[in-house]
Amino acid sequence: MRLEGKRAIVTGGGSGFGAGIVRRFLAEGAEVMIADIDRDAARGVAAEFGGHAQEVDVSNADSVAAMVAAAEDAMGGVDILVNNAGITHLPTPMEEIAEDEFDRVFAVNCKSVYLTARALVPRLKAQGSGAILNIASTAGVSPRPRLNWYNASKGWMITATRAMAVELAPAGIRVNALNPVAGETPLLKRFLGEDTPEMRAKFLSTIPLGRFSTPEDLANAALYLCSDEASMITGVCMEVDGGRCI
């Protein structure tokens, strides 16, 4: 019960890494809002494991503000925010990515962090405590060819995490990030371009531990960084990547 009494929002909580984090947080005693653009997916996780389902478009200011207001109504406040929602583009030469696709990647992966901070940080400052966890990527540390603008968006998130940590520390708010390698999530096919045994083997050959990351891997790391056990840790961008970035 390492999160007993804590109230958390997990964006992109309806599937993949987000759903894994939701399940672990609930098991450790937290009250959790499962926020996802896919309302049915959020409701499915809530029905199976508990928590509060909330539809949200993290790239839209009004939708994010409504999510935070709904969390306060449902849980009486927020102690933990996990910015997990994210998208990518298909492996493509950088100059061939359409402008609207570029804009969507940066809106979901980057602007969302700004919007959630704008909506939630004043509340965390008022209570003098809080933990924000951004789910970035090894792509922001060791970029892969043909995923250029996704790589750049995750590099932005890593820098934003460190900048937020420095600014918010005096207010008692910790900000950290996780950098997962690709895992068994709905985004895997888009990272690979095509999900074939050959493509998987090629990708796995770059991971020293020889396997993809799992929602459980991310949940374990998220649990630590969002718990009071990590009360002296802020500005850390932790690789959960089986050695990919060594």
Side-chain angles (χ1 to χ4, degrees), residues 5 12 20 33 36 41 47 56 63 79 81 84 91 102 108 128 133 135 141 145 147 158 175 182 196 224 229-230 246:
M33 170 165 280
D36 204 290
V56 66
S63 185
D79 304 293
L81 168 67
N84 168 74
F102 171 92
V108 173
L133 181 66
I135 307 302
V141 180
L147 286 170
I158 290 168
V175 187
T196 64
Y224 171 64
E229 295 168 23
I246 295 172

Side-chain angles (χ1 to χ4, degrees), residues 59-201:
S59 69
N60 179 276
D62 290 340
S63 185
V64 169
M67 173 189 72
V68 172
E72 290 202 325
D73 288 344
M75 302 187 294
V78 178
D79 304 293
I80 299 167
L81 168 67
V82 181
N83 283 310
N84 168 74
I87 60 170
T88 185
H89 55 79
L90 290 169
T92 308
M94 66 175 73
E95 71 276 15
E96 295 180 16
I97 296 293
E99 184 176 357
D100 60 347
E101 189 168 17
F102 171 92
D103 288 343
R104 182 63 178 160
V105 167
F106 273 77
V108 173
N109 294 357
C110 302
K111 187 179 180 182
S112 62
V113 178
Y114 155 73
L115 291 176
T116 56
R118 191 174 70 168
L120 188 59
V121 163
R123 294 164 166 85
L124 298 180
K125 284 182 174 179
Q127 67 191 34
S129 64
I132 298 173
L133 181 66
N134 297 322
I135 307 302
S137 173
T138 55
V141 180
S142 181
R144 291 181 179 275
R146 293 164 56 87
L147 286 170
N148 194 79
W149 308 118
Y150 172 77
N151 298 334
S153 74
K154 291 302 186 177
W156 181 100
M157 187 180 248
I158 290 168
T159 299
T161 296
R162 292 172 174 152
M164 292 168 72
V166 170
E167 181 169 336
L168 296 179
I173 303 166
R174 299 184 302 106
V175 187
N176 293 294
L178 293 178
N179 294 328
V181 75
E184 295 282 1
T185 74
L187 285 183
L188 180 61
K189 185 176 181 179
R190 291 186 65 81
F191 285 126
L192 297 178
E194 54 178 342
D195 191 355
T196 64
E198 294 76 18
M199 289 298 295
R200 284 185 172 231

